[in-house]
Amino acid sequence: MARIEINQQYSPTSPASTESLEVLAWGPGGLPSQMFCIGSGFNCNANGTIWIEVRYSVQDIPIFYTRNMLQLSGHTDAPKLEVSLQKFENGKWDSYNFGDILPQTHLSLKRDRRTYSDHNNETQTHDSYSLNLDLDIGAVFGG
């Protein structure tokens, strides 16, 4: 499960608020003998598919909720996934992507690193992150 929580502080022009985005993996989406069809016309077996649940809430009140499938046909090698994640964590890569076979569900985390000189003329680094979650509801099992 992954959960990102954004806490907005109180200000004279807006109240304090908490937004959250959760992505939960349920389990395997199918068997090798099951057909998986994507709206674009691409077909494959369901072995590399997992069911996910996505929730977006404000003040713990659900605003958006869906169940979807994440295709991992190119991500079945766990050691390679771990190496990719380590490269992202160590700053060697600026993004980490999960999910493939567009236009299906896809998750990506991107880092934007900026450097600047502060008032003492010392170099400072600031990282900001963006999470993109693309959901395609045109992916179905069967013909």
Side-chain angles (χ1 to χ4, degrees):
M1 178 181 108
R3 177 182 168 103
I4 294 179
E5 194 170 274
I6 302 163
N7 296 305
Q8 299 291 334
Q9 299 296 323
Y10 170 82
S11 75
T13 58
S14 63
S17 68
T18 301
E19 298 174 68
S20 65
L21 177 66
E22 295 176 83
V23 179
L24 298 96
W26 280 16
L31 302 171
S33 60
Q34 290 176 294
M35 182 59 70
F36 183 77
C37 305
I38 298 176
S40 65
F42 184 84
N43 301 327
C44 58
N45 72 41
N47 193 39
T49 305
I50 60 172
W51 282 103
I52 63 170
E53 181 177 300
V54 180
R55 298 181 207 164
Y56 172 71
S57 303
V58 177
Q59 306 295 88
D60 289 326
I61 298 170
I63 303 296
F64 175 80
Y65 172 85
T66 189
R67 294 178 187 154
N68 210 316
M69 294 170 267
L70 183 64
Q71 178 67 31
L72 303 173
S73 67
H75 298 290
T76 55
D77 188 351
K80 285 183 183 176
L81 280 174
E82 191 171 327
V83 168
S84 296
L85 186 56
Q86 287 173 351
K87 286 182 178 182
F88 175 73
E89 289 173 346
N90 295 334
K92 293 180 182 176
W93 288 358
D94 291 330
S95 64
Y96 181 75
N97 302 302
F98 204 73
D100 55 11
I101 308 181
L102 294 175
Q104 204 196 338
T105 305
H106 181 83
L107 297 124
S108 65
L109 182 62
K110 184 178 179 189
R111 175 181 33 248
D112 186 21
R113 180 165 285 164
R114 306 278 178 159
T115 58
Y116 61 94
S117 296
D118 64 10
H119 63 280
N120 293 327
N121 209 23
E122 294 181 16
T123 301
Q124 301 291 326
T125 302
H126 172 75
D127 290 341
S128 62
Y129 294 86
S130 60
L131 173 69
N132 291 324
L133 175 61
D134 299 316
L135 299 171
D136 177 18
I137 57 172
V140 296
F141 284 115

